Amino acid sequence: MPQNTTTPRRQWLKAALSTGLMAAACSGLALSASTAAAQAAYPAKPIRLVVPFATGGVTDTSGRLIAEQLSKRLGQQVIVDNKPGASGNIGTQMVATAEPDGYTLLLGFDGTMVINPHVFPKVGFDTVKDFAPIGKIGDAILILVSHPGVPAKTLQQVIALSKTQSGGLSYGTSGTGGTPHIAGELLKQRTGANLTHIPYKGGGQAMIDVMGGNIPLVYTAVAGAIQHVKSGKLNAVAVSSAQRAPSMPDVPTFIEAGVADFDINSWVGLLAPAKTPRAIVDKLNTELNAVLNDPAVRERLNTLGITASPGGPEKFGRDMARDLSRYAAVVKAANIKAE
């Protein structure tokens, strides 16, 4: 019979190695169990929702509504933290570099997430790589309106009139690089309309000027124009959503007016830092959708001009990636740069 050639030293090494592997495995299992327990207990403390704009605007107001409702459902307070600056870039970058534990979230805005990366030389974040989409909150439908004295009431009439103007037909927006500006430039590129952009420092002054007859057109959110359209102070040309706006069912879409596949809305959504555990993302998505399916919440969002858009994280991520890609071409062709 062969002799046992295993030396005491080899036996010791084998035993040590076996013990080490078992300890590592046990440690891994304990860590996994601890992580799972932490995620199951989420949230165990208040959550910070960073709104990268000042208080009072539609983005801030919608964020506060969602924070209020999520607080009730999650059993922990969701605290709104306004971090304005650089068209939303400062607050957005803060969340991009935050701990991915589900306790720091972002109210994402299309202008910041999918337009700023193309108009600013540096934004400090990567829309696709630095965030985990949770879900879209809703779409703010955009509308093109005109002064009643403009001799063009329909979209095709506006396009035809613009081509007779040597200096172009002016349209005002809330500012350079905003979604209405991008929509206006895309309209030019798709139809050959001779339009000239007039940027304002906010949509309020643009509305005052179009009602006063100082400019013929304004591209803005439905919420900012609806009362003036209903009072007859402005003419509604078309909305740039896929379907007609529920609040303005008599106004045609750009698609109905002859511009195929012209579907551009401003939107807000909820995001977390990249690498946030999927279990946390799923829980937040479930609770967000429950909030958005509440008729009272949907009505309150409607008053802000936002149509609730519940859905999954993947769809929201695809929508962001789509907008990021298609707006790149519009910005480049129009040579839009941040002021």
Side-chain angles (χ1 to χ4, degrees):
M1 295 181 61
Q3 294 182 342
N4 183 358
T5 58
T6 303
T7 65
R9 178 178 176 78
R10 288 180 179 175
Q11 291 176 340
W12 179 85
L13 285 172
K14 185 176 180 180
L17 180 59
S18 177
T19 301
L21 289 173
M22 289 181 64
C26 291
S27 176
L29 288 172
L31 181 61
S32 176
S34 175
T35 302
Q39 292 176 15
Y42 174 86
K45 61 182 181 179
I47 298 168
R48 179 172 67 147
L49 175 61
V50 175
V51 174
F53 297 96
T55 58
V58 172
T59 308
D60 172 67
T61 306
S62 61
R64 290 181 182 278
L65 170 59
I66 296 304
E68 174 191 352
Q69 298 301 315
L70 283 178
S71 296
K72 295 175 182 178
R73 295 194 62 86
L74 292 170
Q76 289 286 348
Q77 190 174 10
V78 180
I79 302 168
V80 173
D81 186 7
N82 295 90
K83 296 294 182 182
S87 297
N89 292 341
I90 291 176
T92 302
Q93 182 184 18
M94 287 179 58
V95 177
T97 57
E99 187 71 23
D101 56 7
Y103 291 99
T104 301
L105 307 178
L106 172 70
L107 190 77
F109 171 61
D110 67 301
T112 303
M113 304 302 296
V114 298
I115 297 175
N116 283 6
H118 305 305
V119 302
F120 282 84
K122 186 176 181 180
V123 293
F125 59 85
D126 186 302
T127 299
V128 175
K129 296 180 181 179
D130 290 343
F131 298 95
I134 293 170
K136 183 185 283 188
I137 293 170
D139 295 292
I141 297 176
L142 302 180
I143 187 171
L144 182 65
V145 295
S146 65
H147 184 270
V150 174
K153 305 306 178 185
T154 68
L155 180 61
Q156 291 303 324
Q157 290 173 351
V158 167
I159 294 170
L161 177 63
S162 75
K163 294 179 179 179
T164 69
Q165 309 293 305
S166 59
L169 198 61
S170 299
Y171 74 99
T173 73
S174 55
T176 299
T179 314
H181 181 199
I182 298 298
E185 294 301 320
L186 182 58
L187 180 64
K188 289 171 58 177
Q189 294 169 21
R190 295 279 297 277
T191 66
N194 186 17
L195 301 174
T196 301
H197 180 234
I198 307 295
Y200 286 80
K201 292 186 180 299
Q205 188 58 50
M207 296 301 293
I208 291 173
D209 273 10
V210 72
M211 287 189 290
N214 297 321
I215 54 174
L217 303 166
V218 162
Y219 215 143
T220 187
V222 162
I226 185 170
Q227 61 177 327
H228 306 303
V229 170
K230 290 187 174 181
S231 68
K233 294 179 181 179
L234 292 175
N235 171 60
V237 177
V239 293
S240 53
S241 49
Q243 287 83 35
R244 295 191 180 196
S247 57
M248 306 182 77
D250 296 331
V251 181
T253 67
F254 278 74
I255 297 172
E256 290 174 318
V259 187
D261 197 32
F262 198 88
D263 178 12
I264 296 182
N265 293 318
S266 186
W267 51 255
V268 287
L270 206 59
L271 301 106
K275 298 183 180 179
T276 297
R278 181 63 197 224
I280 290 177
V281 170
D282 286 343
K283 183 168 186 175
L284 288 169
N285 175 260
T286 297
E287 299 303 336
L288 174 63
N289 286 338
V291 167
L292 296 176
N293 282 313
D294 183 331
V297 173
R298 296 175 76 91
E299 181 58 33
R300 288 176 67 182
L301 286 172
N302 280 336
T303 64
L304 300 173
I306 297 174
T307 301
S309 304
E314 286 76 19
K315 184 180 186 305
F316 184 32
R318 289 194 301 270
D319 288 348
M320 284 201 301
R322 176 204 62 191
D323 287 349
L324 186 67
S325 176
R326 68 171 173 166
Y327 292 163
V330 179
V331 170
K332 183 176 181 180
N335 194 29
I336 301 172
K337 296 181 181 177
E339 294 179 332

